[in-house]
Amino acid sequence: MKAALVGADGTLLHEARRATGRERGPDAVVESILSFAAELRAHGEEHFGESALAAGVAVPGIVDAENGIAVYASNLGWRDVPMRRLLGERLGGLPVALGHDVRTGGLAEGRIGAGKGADRFLFIPLGTGIAGAIGIAGAIEEGAHGYAGEIGHVVVRPDGPDCGCGQRGCLETLASASAVSRAWATAAGDPEADAADCAKAVESGDPRAVEVWHNAVDALAAGLVTALTLLDPRTIIIGGGLAEAGETLFTPLRAAVEERVTFQKLPHIVPAALGDTAGCLGAGLLAWDLLSTEVSA
């Protein structure tokens, strides 16, 4: 878990990290979150002379942000956790905003990070899987049921690998950091090899790595062109582990997207700027937005 005290202008005033302790079960994870938040609030009172005014929390899985419920997270084992109510009670009645981790990170990247100033953007972290956050006029579009942005499950190769969602050839089975790690481990004959190793091998000209990398970039470009056809973003922000390869990823990716477009307008394709602080900053922005909404109401 990452946590922070965030100023009104998005400044990180204090950061802290703690293990989720998920091996102790979902109830213990929830308690860890609540106690962590309480400690952070106490730190603010002690070191800044005032309490936090609101709290924001970003969690993985399926999130009902409107009702403040963490609906489901497979890696944390919880179902239907009333996170907003529990956190508000632990923090003495502070207003609490709940968000989805990727959409919250996207909010920060779009508003104060790599997408700053873009009225329409798409944030895509390439990690264990691939998700997305659709930014419109400084806010994140969640969709009618909270599922908007799941670009990782756009089918780009109908005859491709099986995906956990039940389809075949989903983008995340081909272009996530995990997918590149699997493909490179097989090609290199080294079960310990990962995507970062593949990127280094590409840079040194290894033809096996070049092929693995090309296949991933080609699949990613297909997914991005589908996205820009539907959404027409001004900026596409790529984050996550695979983006750490820098221009080894971005140079061929921009070229592959440009080759595929016909009538569509090319967006700026840029690396994420905030790293793993994006979630904390985004949660802080959700909290500040909550306060501004209450004031205007």
Side-chain angles (χ1 to χ4, degrees):
M1 298 186 292
K2 307 176 192 75
L5 293 170
V6 182
D9 61 353
T11 302
L12 279 172
L13 303 173
H14 170 71
E15 282 187 90
R17 295 173 186 241
R18 180 180 292 177
T20 56
R22 64 181 180 180
E23 68 282 353
R24 293 182 288 123
D27 291 343
V29 173
V30 173
E31 176 55 35
S32 293
I33 292 169
L34 300 181
S35 61
F36 198 10
E39 288 176 22
L40 207 66
R41 182 190 187 199
H43 180 93
E45 290 172 339
E46 180 181 349
H47 291 86
F48 297 99
E50 59 181 317
S51 173
L53 299 176
V57 58
V59 297
I62 299 171
V63 178
D64 179 350
E66 184 176 348
N67 294 303
I69 297 170
V71 178
Y72 175 68
S74 59
N75 61 336
L76 297 176
W78 65 35
R79 287 183 181 273
D80 297 321
V81 178
M83 188 67 75
R84 184 170 65 198
R85 177 177 63 79
L86 292 173
L87 199 54
E89 290 172 355
R90 182 65 64 93
L91 297 175
L94 280 188
V96 175
L98 177 69
H100 179 270
D101 57 351
V102 172
R103 288 196 286 268
T104 303
L107 176 67
E109 280 289 355
R111 198 180 291 180
I112 60 177
K116 186 175 182 180
D119 55 344
R120 300 285 191 279
F121 69 88
L122 181 62
F123 169 61
I124 303 174
L126 307 174
T128 305
I130 297 178
I134 302 165
I136 302 173
I140 300 297
E141 171 56 45
E142 296 185 351
H145 307 96
Y147 289 17
E150 290 292 346
I151 189 174
H153 296 291
V154 169
V155 174
V156 293
R157 300 284 184 270
D159 58 348
D162 291 335
C163 181
C165 77
Q167 301 185 109
R168 292 187 64 187
C170 288
L171 181 60
E172 73 174 38
T173 68
L174 297 157
S176 63
S178 295
V180 173
S181 292
R182 287 193 299 271
W184 177 234
T186 299
D190 178 3
E192 300 299 317
D194 62 13
D197 298 324
C198 185
K200 291 174 186 172
V202 169
E203 291 160 12
S204 66
D206 186 317
R208 299 168 303 170
V210 169
E211 182 178 2
V212 167
W213 201 255
H214 171 78
N215 289 339
V217 167
D218 191 61
L220 182 56
L224 293 187
V225 171
T226 297
L228 69 91
T229 303
L230 288 171
L231 302 172
D232 187 26
R234 200 171 304 278
T235 303
I236 294 178
I237 306 163
I238 307 290
L242 214 58
E244 293 175 8
E247 288 307 311
T248 301
L249 173 67
F250 284 93
T251 296
L253 179 60
R254 292 183 185 113
V257 170
E258 187 169 2
E259 286 172 8
R260 286 175 173 271
V261 298
T262 52
F263 66 89
Q264 304 93 334
K265 292 291 186 182
L266 271 175
H268 299 291
I269 301 176
V270 299
L274 302 176
D276 66 359
T277 64
C280 282
L281 286 165
L285 292 173
L286 285 179
W288 282 110
D289 285 355
L290 196 63
L291 290 172
S292 64
T293 301
E294 288 184 354
V295 169
S296 62

